Amino acid sequence: MSIVEKVRDTLVEAGSTFREDKKQAYRNAIATEQNEKAKWVLEQVLANAEAAEVNHSPLCDDTGIPHLVLEVGPDCAVTGRMLQEIKQGVAEGLRKLPSRPMGIM
């Protein structure tokens, strides 16, 4: 799998899924919430997250602005070509993740 594909697929997954521990935290909060309005909001956030995961669509809490952190080891070099592939992967991921107008800088 190329850098472009890895970046693209990671961006789509990050923008459309909650980690399982986060979903469980919502379930726990729903189970113990006393305020009906607050409970309803928590239920809606969880339902949106479950739908987003199934449909590969954006989460409601997704800002639409990806922030990438590139960790480089002491014996590695980052080339201009690698940065271009990362940029292309972000662009493809944003196009693949529907319903959000996005800009690439």
Side-chain angles (χ1 to χ4, degrees):
M1 186 178 281
S2 72
I3 291 173
V4 172
E5 293 168 324
K6 287 179 183 178
V7 171
R8 179 198 64 216
D9 294 349
T10 300
L11 190 141
V12 170
E13 182 178 347
S16 62
T17 58
F18 277 168
R19 292 184 328 264
E20 189 55 42
D21 63 326
K22 188 171 185 176
K23 289 188 283 187
Q24 189 57 49
Y26 274 99
R27 289 184 198 105
N28 294 343
I30 291 165
T32 60
E33 181 56 59
Q34 301 289 323
N35 182 300
E36 286 303 313
K37 291 179 182 177
K39 185 174 188 169
W40 179 85
V41 170
L42 293 168
E43 289 169 342
Q44 299 312 302
V45 171
L46 182 58
N48 174 266
E50 290 168 343
E53 187 170 346
V54 169
N55 299 321
H56 302 289
S57 58
L59 291 162
C60 65
D61 73 340
D62 176 25
T63 64
I65 302 171
H67 298 273
L68 282 67
V69 176
L70 185 60
E71 295 182 7
V72 180
D75 297 324
C76 295
V78 177
T79 65
R81 180 170 293 163
M82 289 170 71
L83 292 175
Q84 280 302 113
E85 289 179 357
I86 291 168
K87 183 177 177 180
Q88 182 181 343
V90 170
E92 288 184 15
L94 293 177
R95 281 191 296 273
K96 191 173 180 180
L97 195 60
S99 302
R100 288 234 195 248
M102 314 246 186
I104 307 292
M105 298 185 75

